[in-house]
């Protein structure tokens, strides 16, 4: 018997821990995840929906390893009812999140051009204009104002709609569908209705752009379908999550502004132009962006990690939130350190599935924070911090409303 097999047979798998969907408020780090991190680098969890249990990796190095390793498949998850947070599970062909290589590259290629650093530079003046118009309205109406309703919600959806090529008259409807889809409230029927509505609309939009030479995402997808690079079904599955992605900025920036408004020392640092980028990255690292964990992967073969055998067919989750608090990489990880450098956080994920919208999200976050703080000097919460209402039963965490005055 080799040393390796001895290790494998002697390891007792960790107990399966229940991870219920808690409605956490503020920017509190999930206490269940904190316990799991303490229990070991590799634990086992059961989430509210789906079947069975899954492995959970929380250490930075392991998260990077698993997300870069083709032995862990996303596509396999679509054939199973893996334990998960979301009540409904209906992955679509074409969705980047569920594609393995080489399909992932083939699918990403048609839309990649719309999300590059260069494309985002070109978008910047238009995005600034959209934001300025929203703030003109806030200033015109005077305090108090709900920043979520007036700025954080309309800004990303309008910007994403510019990038995607959503006609102005359809924007409200598309936003309503998006919100219903990412919410876990309203039950599966409401979510299904919203998905059917949005995906039907996306199909019609892509068809209508088949011969367009524009550079918005729906035009790029229409053209790629025309050239036979992707199917219409794939184009629709690809576009959906991109269309929904803008919502992430609303809630992430909601958490960010809450932190800046409740920690004056951070806000002070944001005023220093050379410190801004660093503070922003530190906040991205610190913010508990989502509830629970994201999408699972399935081991295609046996993999040994920390003396445990992850069996072929076992589902595996990684937690980017936990990796961002790994003390081996981020000393004193629960503290917001505006001088943290280096800061190799994984707030946008890692590996092939790294967030498609990361550069766009970063652009919007920078503009939002800079513009809001600059145009509303003296900005402060209009209610005590503990009375801010937080979103409930959602995948992405953030304030429901952010009442401010100035
Ligand atoms: C994937 C974070 C904004 C589109 C992801 C992942 C994370 C993430 C952690 C998962 C990586 C994985 O599955 O391993 C964020 C954060 C955002 C944000 C923190 C805002 C602050 C956006 C925006 C868009 C977007 C604005 C699009 C307009 C996507 C897509 C994927 C993704 C399509 C799936 C990529 C793939 O699986 O290949 N994002 N995101 N995200 N995000 Fe974002």
């Amino acid at each position: 018997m080799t040393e390796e097999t001895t290790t494998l047979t002697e390891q007792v798998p960790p107990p399966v821990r229940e991870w219920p969907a808690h409605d956490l408020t503020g920017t509190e780090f999930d206490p269940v995840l904190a316990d799991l991190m303490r229990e070991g680098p590799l634990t086992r969890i059961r989430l509210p929906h789906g079947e069975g249990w899954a492995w959970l990796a929380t250490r930075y190095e392991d998260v990077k390893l698993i997300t870069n390793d083709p032995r862990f498949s996303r596509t396999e998850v679509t054939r199973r009812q893996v334990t998960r947070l979301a009540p409904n599970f209906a992955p679509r062909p074409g969705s980047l999140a569920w594609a393995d290589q080489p399909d992932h590259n083939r699918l990403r290629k048609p839309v990649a051009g719309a999300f590059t650093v260069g494309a985002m530079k070109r978008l910047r003046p238009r995005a600034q204009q959209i934001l300025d118009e929203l703030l003109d309205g806030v200033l015109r109406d005077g305090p108090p104002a709900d920043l979520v309703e007036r700025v954080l919600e309309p800004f990303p959806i309008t910007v994403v709609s510019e990038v995607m090529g959503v006609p102005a008259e359809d924007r409200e409807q598309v936003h309503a569908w998006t919100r219903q889809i990412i919410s876990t409230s309203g039950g599966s029927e409401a979510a299904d209705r919203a998905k059917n509505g949005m995906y039907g609309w996306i199909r019609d939009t892509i068809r209508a752009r088949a011969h367009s030479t524009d550079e918005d995402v729906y035009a790029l997808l229409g053209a790629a379908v025309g050239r036979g690079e992707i199917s219409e079904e794939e184009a629709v599955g690809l576009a959906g999550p991109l269309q929904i992605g803008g919502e992430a900025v609303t809630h992430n920036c909601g958490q960010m502004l809450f932190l800046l408004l409740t920690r004056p020392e951070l806000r002070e640092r944001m005023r220093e132009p050379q410190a801004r980028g660093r503070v922003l990255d530190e906040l991205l690292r610190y913010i508990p962006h989502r509830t629970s964990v994201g999408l699972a992967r399935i081991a295609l073969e046996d993999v040994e990690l920390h003396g445990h055998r992850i069996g072929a067919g076992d589902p595996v989750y990684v937690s980017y939130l936990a990796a961002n608090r790994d003390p081996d990489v981020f000393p004193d990880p629960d503290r917001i350190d505006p001088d943290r450098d280096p800061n190799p956080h994984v707030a946008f994920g890692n590996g092939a599935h790294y967030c498609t919208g990361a550069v766009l999200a970063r652009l919007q976050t920078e503009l939002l924070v800079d513009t809001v703080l600059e145009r509303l000097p003296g900005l402060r919460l209009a209610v005590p911090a503990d009375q801010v209402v937080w979103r409930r039963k959602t995948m992405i965490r953030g304030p429901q409303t952010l009442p401010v005055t100035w």
Side-chain angles (χ1 to χ4, degrees):
M1 191 179 266
T2 64
E3 244 183 57
E4 196 190 2
T5 49
T6 312
T7 325
L8 292 184
T9 48
E10 280 177 3
Q11 273 294 338
V12 178
V16 176
R17 300 284 185 215
E18 299 293 329
W19 192 353
H22 290 300
D23 275 325
L24 299 163
T25 58
T27 53
E28 182 198 0
F29 193 77
D30 189 328
V32 179
L33 180 55
D35 283 348
L36 289 162
M37 289 165 73
R38 271 190 293 274
E39 261 176 48
L42 203 56
T43 49
R44 293 195 298 163
I45 54 169
R46 191 181 347 259
L47 297 163
H49 298 282
E51 292 164 10
W53 55 267
W55 294 98
L56 172 71
T58 50
R59 294 270 164 87
Y60 186 86
E61 285 309 321
D62 297 336
V63 167
K64 287 206 110 173
L65 184 135
I66 290 168
T67 51
N68 255 326
D69 187 334
R71 288 177 300 173
F72 296 97
S73 159
R74 271 284 169 77
T75 306
E76 274 305 306
V77 180
T78 63
R79 307 191 174 114
R80 306 255 302 264
Q81 286 298 322
V82 171
T83 186
R84 60 175 186 266
L85 173 69
N88 331 293
F89 185 58
R92 280 166 194 272
S95 163
L96 281 175
W98 300 112
D100 291 338
Q101 297 304 6
D103 274 344
H104 189 269
N105 274 347
R106 177 178 63 83
L107 292 169
R108 200 176 46 182
K109 210 171 135 215
V111 293
F115 292 94
T116 58
V117 175
M120 292 305 119
K121 267 202 187 126
R122 290 192 293 280
L123 176 70
R124 195 179 183 105
R126 173 71 188 125
Q128 181 73 63
Q129 187 193 356
I130 292 167
L131 188 53
D132 282 337
E133 283 167 14
L134 290 169
L135 278 151
D136 289 345
V138 171
L139 283 161
R140 196 176 46 239
D141 295 346
D146 171 14
L147 274 188
V148 173
E149 186 198 351
R150 299 296 302 266
V151 184
L152 292 173
E153 227 172 60
F155 177 59
I157 197 70
T158 313
V159 172
V160 164
S161 293
E162 289 279 325
V163 178
M164 299 296 289
V166 180
E169 63 273 20
D170 294 340
R171 283 182 188 180
E172 269 315 303
Q173 175 63 76
V174 171
H175 192 195
W177 283 322
T178 308
R179 276 209 308 226
Q180 188 59 58
I181 293 165
I182 70 158
S183 164
T184 53
S185 68
S188 57
E189 260 176 44
D192 283 349
R193 262 199 313 277
K195 274 186 192 162
N196 289 339
M198 191 181 83
Y199 280 96
W201 176 89
I202 289 177
R203 175 167 285 110
D204 293 345
T205 306
I206 289 172
R207 273 187 197 163
R209 303 284 165 86
H211 304 293
S212 166
T213 50
D214 290 345
E215 289 185 345
D216 61 70
V217 172
Y218 289 120
L220 292 171
L221 286 173
V225 173
R227 290 192 302 270
E229 289 165 12
I230 55 172
S231 68
E232 183 182 88
E233 197 184 24
E234 286 175 329
V236 174
L238 231 165
L242 292 173
Q243 188 68 61
I244 296 165
E247 207 83 21
V249 175
T250 300
H251 308 309
N252 198 285
C253 278
Q255 292 198 53
M256 196 173 279
L257 283 169
F258 175 81
L259 283 166
L260 288 166
L261 293 178
T262 49
R263 303 192 189 205
E265 72 288 359
L266 285 178
R267 195 166 155 186
E268 224 21 70
R269 293 304 301 273
M270 275 309 236
R271 286 189 207 282
E272 300 166 25
Q274 67 289 8
R276 264 186 210 153
R278 250 200 335 269
V279 181
L280 205 123
D281 269 306
E282 176 63 350
L283 291 172
L284 282 167
R285 177 193 74 83
Y286 180 86
I287 285 170
H289 180 63
R290 58 164 308 120
T291 307
S292 176
V293 271
L295 307 180
R297 291 169 168 80
I298 301 270
L300 296 177
E301 53 186 84
D302 288 1
V303 177
E304 205 210 327
L305 197 59
H306 297 291
H308 291 296
R309 185 174 59 86
I310 298 175
D314 285 355
V316 182
Y317 280 99
V318 300
S319 170
Y320 292 122
L321 299 190
N324 277 343
R325 304 277 181 124
D326 185 333
D328 288 345
V329 182
F330 306 102
D332 201 359
D334 296 329
R335 191 169 83 85
I336 300 177
D337 174 4
D339 295 313
R340 197 179 289 282
D341 187 23
N343 190 345
H345 68 75
V346 283
F348 292 112
N350 182 62
H353 292 282
Y354 181 79
C355 176
T356 318
V359 188
L360 174 60
R362 180 84 203 209
L363 166 74
Q364 294 182 80
T365 305
E366 257 173 46
L367 290 178
L368 263 170
V369 171
D370 283 2
T371 311
V372 166
L373 296 184
E374 197 184 296
R375 293 202 59 195
L376 302 173
L379 185 71
R380 58 194 185 279
L381 285 177
V383 295
D386 61 5
Q387 279 174 31
V388 169
V389 178
W390 293 81
R391 305 180 77 228
R392 299 182 65 240
K393 298 194 188 311
T394 54
M395 315 263 172
I396 304 180
R397 293 173 56 183
Q400 179 78 37
T401 57
L402 204 52
V404 293
T405 187
W406 56 93

